[in-house]
Amino acid sequence: MGEDEERSRAKIRPGGKEEGEDSRAFLDPAREKRYAELFKQLDLNNDGKVDINELKTGLAALGLHRGEAEEIVLESDINHDGLLDFQEFSQYLRAHEKRMKTIFINVDRNNDGRIDVGEIQHSLHKLGMVVTTEQASRILQSMDRDGTLTINWSEWRDHFLFNPIHNMEEIVHYWKHSHMFDMGEHPTVPEEFSERERRSGLVWRQLVAGAMAGAVSRTGTAPLDRLKVFLQVHGSGSGGRNLWSGLRGMVQEGGVASLWRGNGINVLKIAPESAIKFMAYEQIKGLIRGSREGGTLRVQERFIAGSMAGATAQTIIYPMEVLKTRLTLRRKGQFSGMADCARQILKAEGVRAFYRGYLPNTLGIIPYAGIDLAVYETLKNAWLQKYCLNTADPGVLVLLGCGTVSSTCGQLASYPLALIRTRMQAQAIIDGKPRLTMVGQFKHIVSHEGLLGLYRGITPNFLKVVPAVSISYVVYEHMKKVLGVPYH
């Protein structure tokens, strides 16, 4: 980083002085006039002040990136009145432009005043991210306004003018940022957050939004989830039950409300699991990174960190998984609640019962997370290369489609392990059947039900993917608005 800083200082001194050292350069008339015109356009009610709503609306009207308006106001509001006067507005832009100029100079390796595709690739490579020429071209084209296939300082400045970014790592994060939605039971690589987002408290607002989205999504698809568990455990020994007879049988036994048995604890475990996974992910990333400078991990390193974080979260909350299975399968009046269920399991089976099925559950993390992530990135990149020549953002519907397909592929790979896990969790409450190990369960299923038995209950599992993703997305977007989570 030292060489980059020295090169920046050497290049940023027109006439032998650094830009900030010369008051005439610092208060450049043309730049101040541009700031005044921008401020006038943003000040929609002409009161000499710009608030958050005016900033959002005004930037959208100007065709500029809205950025994080809340953070712009927070960072530049010197007197803390929630409004920006022209002095605060121009002071923020001067400081922000200076940061962007330094980053621009560092990216512009050949000092020709323009950034090309190769220089974007090099900058990403320095931060541990390898991208193809096509991917770098899409990033460049999203900023290229004059069609030269290079980025000059004005294009770079205007593109990031109202995006409160402080360093190259945050620019990379902005380019690559996308959301992963709660897909149900399987842990995936957690979301990446920039240092700026962690400092501002955005992380926890985003985690809360995700937890709420997951809670509503799981509640909406709980009948399908209970049917899946019911078929996984009882399917082979319940008179050839299928999708419809399973639903009918559950309603006859306990009424319509019985379709939501076990949903309470399924929702309750979302928040601690998300928080533990995120915190573990950050710690593991730090250990992998070590003393290496640059910050951003390679894709394979993020996958390793994500898998380990998922395993850590699952280890801590796994007893809740066992309780969820037992409560989902309970007969009417068998348990009075979660505490009673836990007490009965502890009394009859001991502490070890709360980790029954843990091994196949943990093994299932690797194929699910690996295939889900690989398919998601492959589909997204294929779409971008074919249909999105001028942007690095494929759009919400495409991301939802990629997420649905990738999750389905991940479930196909990991479902046998999930079924064995559920059988092991539930086997103590099935009368007259011995407790089998993971290998014993596998042999028993294959010998009695064939290979297709390993996929028993997968139909309701597939049926819930699309509604789960859709509900999760709608609620997530609404909660982001409520909690003030900015859009990227």
Side-chain angles (χ1 to χ4, degrees), residues 316-359:
I316 295 172
I317 63 99
Y318 192 78
M320 297 177 76
E321 294 276 3
V322 175
L323 285 175
K324 176 233 172 183
T325 299
R326 298 293 181 91
L327 289 167
T328 298
L329 295 168
R330 76 184 186 272
R331 299 181 302 276
K332 190 173 183 179
Q334 185 177 3
F335 305 119
S336 61
M338 282 183 261
D340 182 52
C341 179
R343 189 163 48 247
Q344 288 194 38
I345 293 172
L346 186 63
K347 183 178 179 180
E349 305 170 54
V351 176
R352 292 183 64 182
F354 289 103
Y355 280 89
R356 193 164 287 133
Y358 174 78
L359 181 58

Side-chain angles (χ1 to χ4, degrees), residues 118-320:
E119 288 168 333
I120 288 178
Q121 282 183 292
H122 178 78
S123 297
L124 292 172
H125 183 71
K126 283 201 304 183
L127 292 176
M129 298 182 68
V130 179
V131 296
T132 65
T133 302
E134 290 78 14
Q135 290 170 327
S137 294
R138 288 195 300 273
I139 292 172
L140 184 143
Q141 288 166 9
S142 69
M143 296 180 279
D144 180 19
R145 293 187 176 181
D146 58 12
T148 60
L149 298 181
T150 59
I151 306 300
N152 60 29
W153 159 239
S154 296
E155 290 171 323
W156 179 272
R157 176 198 65 203
D158 293 344
H159 186 79
F160 292 110
L161 189 62
F162 290 99
N163 199 326
I165 284 170
H166 296 78
N167 52 50
M168 188 62 198
E169 185 178 4
E170 291 186 1
I171 287 179
V172 172
H173 177 75
Y174 162 71
W175 282 337
K176 304 296 284 184
H177 194 283
S178 61
H179 297 291
M180 288 188 179
F181 307 106
D182 182 82
M183 297 296 296
E185 303 170 2
H186 299 277
T188 57
V189 176
E191 176 62 277
E192 294 268 10
F193 293 98
S194 68
E195 183 60 34
R196 174 168 52 83
E197 289 172 326
R198 287 192 286 270
R199 286 198 311 268
S200 67
L202 174 66
V203 170
W204 299 110
R205 284 182 286 161
Q206 198 136 315
L207 287 176
V208 169
M212 286 298 296
V216 176
S217 172
R218 293 187 191 189
T219 301
T221 57
L224 287 170
D225 190 60
R226 186 178 184 228
L227 179 60
K228 176 199 72 174
V229 174
F230 189 83
L231 292 176
Q232 283 179 331
V233 176
H234 295 300
S236 62
S238 53
R241 283 191 190 274
N242 57 30
L243 200 68
W244 306 115
S245 62
L247 276 173
R248 190 166 54 247
M250 288 189 293
V251 172
Q252 288 173 350
E253 186 271 334
V256 175
S258 70
L259 297 177
W260 277 266
R261 281 182 191 166
N263 183 60
I265 196 164
N266 197 28
V267 167
L268 194 63
K269 68 186 178 69
I270 294 173
E273 182 178 10
S274 299
I276 293 166
K277 191 190 299 182
F278 168 72
M279 290 186 289
Y281 186 53
E282 291 300 309
Q283 294 298 316
I284 294 166
K285 279 201 308 181
L287 291 174
I288 292 174
R289 185 184 298 119
S291 59
R292 187 177 69 208
E293 293 186 9
T296 304
L297 298 182
R298 298 177 181 88
V299 172
Q300 63 268 29
E301 291 174 326
R302 288 201 304 275
F303 171 65
I304 291 170
S307 296
M308 292 175 68
T312 301
Q314 282 287 294
T315 301
I316 295 172
I317 63 99
Y318 192 78
M320 297 177 76

Side-chain angles (χ1 to χ4, degrees), residues 180 186-189 299-300 302-304 306-307 363-378 406-407 409-411 413-414:
M180 288 188 179
H186 299 277
T188 57
V189 176
V299 172
Q300 63 268 29
R302 288 201 304 275
F303 171 65
I304 291 170
S307 296
L363 292 175
I365 291 174
I366 298 171
Y368 181 85
I371 292 172
D372 185 23
L373 187 67
V375 173
Y376 178 84
E377 288 295 327
T378 301
S406 65
S407 176
C409 293
Q411 287 180 44
S414 63

